Amino acid sequence: MQAWKLQMRLRGKGILVSTGLEIPVSTTCLSSAEAVCRTDYRPRVGDAIQLCLDWPMIGGGTDLLEGFGSVSAMEIRSGRAFEVHVNFLDCPHLLKNISSEVATPEAHMLETPEILKSLPVEPEAFHYYRRLGRVQDFVLEHYTEPIPLKRAAQVAGMEETYFSDFFSRKVGVPFTRWLSEVRIGRAIELIQGGNHSITFVAHEVGFSNLRTFERAFRKRTGMTPAHYRRLVRPS
């Protein structure tokens, strides 16, 4: 299994195996071997724990990253916060919370290293900076339309060159790559939710060229849209 590491925040819950207690967590670092989480609950070193983390699909999604492991270390942070280190027993996987129509185990579980070709986006930047929040709201409403960098800068009320640099520094990726991530995320939801043609999905999420969509989808997921559809909708 290929090793990978992400410096990004994922939110979700930790479930203590011994008691079934659910605690809210957010990760500051995540890898194929370990997660570093912050939580208000103080677990014990050695506790078995299941981490269920929301994947930051901008605008909401159905992705869930799940890993089983044990608490290897715990540090007290400011206030009531604790930093918890969890060593995974196996490489965590991305689970697809899709309809009950899917019956095959392989349709529910995709190897994480492929899916984690996603971008190291910092989603909280959209909440902290109002200008970026306006851009996010605009994109989520108009992602089916062409959105050049100049138009996004106008929405933010910033000069184009400065906006491009500001967006990259605060969000973690260039605007055009983030926009592609939003569109591919929507495409994944469409493929999961209905028996649509790949051409329909491409145009529905803002790609005028099918080949461009297929390249972007493969870069995001490690597979073609047709292959992904066969996994999640085998019938």
Side-chain angles (χ1 to χ4, degrees):
M1 182 68 71
Q2 179 184 0
W4 49 266
K5 185 175 183 179
L6 292 176
Q7 295 288 344
M8 65 186 303
R9 179 169 297 180
L10 300 182
R11 298 184 184 276
K13 62 184 178 182
I15 304 174
L16 297 179
V17 175
S18 60
T19 62
L21 178 67
E22 296 185 5
I23 58 176
V25 300
S26 63
T27 65
T28 56
C29 182
L30 180 70
S31 74
S32 55
E34 181 189 43
V36 180
C37 310
R38 290 188 178 178
T39 179
D40 291 336
Y41 181 84
R42 182 173 186 169
R44 296 174 300 179
V45 173
D47 279 350
I49 190 169
Q50 173 187 359
L51 294 181
C52 300
L53 306 170
D54 296 327
W55 186 249
M57 194 75 72
I58 303 300
T62 57
D63 296 345
L64 194 70
L65 195 73
E66 182 178 271
F68 292 85
S70 61
V71 177
S72 60
M74 192 277 300
E75 301 175 23
I76 299 176
R77 293 302 184 188
S78 59
R80 296 177 52 211
F82 301 95
E83 184 174 272
V84 178
H85 295 246
V86 176
N87 285 344
F88 291 123
L89 300 178
D90 296 296
C91 181
H93 289 83
L94 184 74
L95 302 184
K96 311 304 294 182
N97 289 342
I98 52 184
S99 70
S100 58
E101 297 175 8
V102 178
T104 59
E106 60 269 23
H108 286 276
M109 186 172 289
L110 305 176
E111 287 192 359
T112 304
E114 294 293 340
I115 294 297
L116 288 181
K117 289 181 179 178
S118 185
L119 305 180
V121 172
E122 178 48 71
E124 291 193 352
F126 297 104
H127 301 288
Y128 190 80
Y129 299 99
R130 292 184 178 179
R131 293 174 185 264
L132 295 183
R134 291 202 300 268
V135 171
Q136 182 188 45
D137 292 342
F138 179 84
V139 167
L140 294 179
E141 185 176 352
H142 299 279
Y143 65 88
T144 61
E145 309 164 11
I147 307 177
L149 179 65
K150 181 178 181 179
R151 182 69 182 101
Q154 291 172 344
V155 172
M158 301 167 70
E159 188 273 329
E160 184 176 343
T161 302
Y162 180 76
F163 168 76
S164 178
D165 178 68
F166 182 79
F167 191 98
S168 295
R169 286 189 290 107
K170 301 304 181 183
V171 178
V173 296
F175 171 76
T176 54
R177 293 184 66 191
W178 174 78
L179 175 60
S180 178
E181 180 81 351
V182 173
R183 287 170 168 161
I184 296 302
R186 293 302 199 205
I188 289 173
E189 293 175 356
L190 282 174
I191 293 172
Q192 290 178 1
N195 190 25
H196 307 296
S197 71
I198 300 303
T199 301
F200 171 85
V201 172
H203 287 281
E204 192 71 9
V205 300
F207 286 89
S208 59
N209 184 284
L210 179 60
R211 186 164 295 182
T212 301
F213 168 66
E214 289 177 335
R215 283 199 300 266
F217 193 96
R218 189 181 187 95
K219 184 176 181 180
R220 164 67 170 84
T221 66
M223 65 187 73
T224 65
H227 183 191
Y228 181 75
R229 184 175 61 181
R230 287 195 297 270
L231 284 177
V232 300
R233 302 189 67 83
S235 59

